[in-house]
Amino acid sequence: MTDWRPGERRPDTASMLRVNQAGEYGATRIYAGQLAVLRSNSPASQLVSRMAGQEKRHLDRFNALMSKRGVRPTALQPVWHAAGFALGAATALISEQAAMACTEAVETEIDRHYGSQLDQLGSEDPELASDIADFRAEELEHRDAARDAGAAQAPAYPVLTAAIRAGCRLAIALSKRI
Ligand SMILES: [Fe+2]
Ligand SMILES: [Fe+2]
């Protein structure tokens, strides 16, 4: 069963996988940066560790799908390696609430991104779609946990989250293509 008909454009699932793997990789790097700064055993650090474990599972799964399907990773991986860590460390250095605002902002964009991929996929590629739906639910839990942990109390919260969300949208646009 497929929604696709001749003449329609099929969704580019290789590009979807590439950008998703880049995003999950970036997420593991953001949390690594935060964990390097947050006081270990603090509630914030415990929350971040738990979310980081789930990002690792998302990343491992997309890595496995990419190698199974012969999809190359983004050439920007070294950029996300450094930029993700820097974003995580910088926000955690501002405050625990700023670290939470970072997660809230990132997961808000990831939710929109995964939602739009699911719309594009329809009933195409159910293997990929079911992973995206599964991971999207966890990203929403991360966003809500960050809100509950005081994201909105971060200094300059509107500016901080707007900047991070713009950065995420740029990273998504670039990783689809490069
Ligand atoms: Fe994730
Ligand atoms: Fe997440």
Side-chain angles (χ1 to χ4, degrees), residues 24 27 31 51 55 58 103 106-107 110 135 138-139 142:
E24 298 295 350
Y31 289 137
M51 296 190 293
E55 305 302 358
H58 304 171
T103 293
V106 170
E107 301 294 16
I110 299 299
F135 300 166
E138 290 187 350
E139 312 303 6
H142 298 170

Side-chain angles (χ1 to χ4, degrees), residues 159-176:
V159 178
L160 182 69
T161 51
I164 294 170
R165 287 180 60 172
C168 288
R169 291 194 294 271
L170 177 64
I172 288 168
L174 290 171
S175 298
K176 278 181 194 168

Side-chain angles (χ1 to χ4, degrees), residues 9-160:
R9 256 188 93 212
R10 302 191 93 120
D12 182 354
T13 55
S15 160
M16 287 184 179
L17 206 39
R18 176 173 307 120
V19 63
N20 293 359
Q21 189 266 359
E24 298 295 350
Y25 180 72
T28 64
R29 294 298 295 159
I30 290 170
Y31 289 137
Q34 293 184 341
L35 288 170
V37 171
L38 292 171
R39 205 161 27 83
S40 51
N41 295 320
S42 65
S45 157
Q46 284 169 6
L47 173 60
V48 171
S49 299
R50 189 162 53 74
M51 296 190 293
Q54 291 174 314
E55 305 302 358
K56 175 77 167 53
R57 184 174 76 87
H58 304 171
L59 176 62
D60 288 347
R61 173 62 183 156
F62 286 139
N63 278 333
L65 266 183
M66 282 175 99
S67 62
K68 184 171 121 183
R69 299 180 178 192
V71 175
R72 67 161 178 84
T74 171
L76 296 171
Q77 194 109 347
V79 178
W80 308 147
H81 180 89
F85 190 92
L87 176 62
T91 50
L93 280 168
I94 297 170
S95 68
E96 284 185 2
Q97 289 80 11
M100 295 299 140
C102 173
T103 293
E104 187 196 17
V106 170
E107 301 294 16
T108 298
E109 289 303 324
I110 299 299
D111 170 55
R112 288 180 43 176
H113 167 70
Y114 281 163
S116 104
Q117 283 193 342
L118 289 171
D119 288 346
Q120 286 175 61
L121 282 171
S123 53
E124 286 267 320
D125 201 341
E127 183 184 44
L128 177 61
S130 86
D131 284 333
I132 294 171
D134 175 16
F135 300 166
R136 183 190 189 194
E138 290 187 350
E139 312 303 6
L140 282 173
E141 285 172 25
H142 298 170
R143 185 200 65 190
D144 294 345
R147 273 186 191 158
D148 292 346
Q153 272 99 61
Y157 170 77
V159 178
L160 182 69

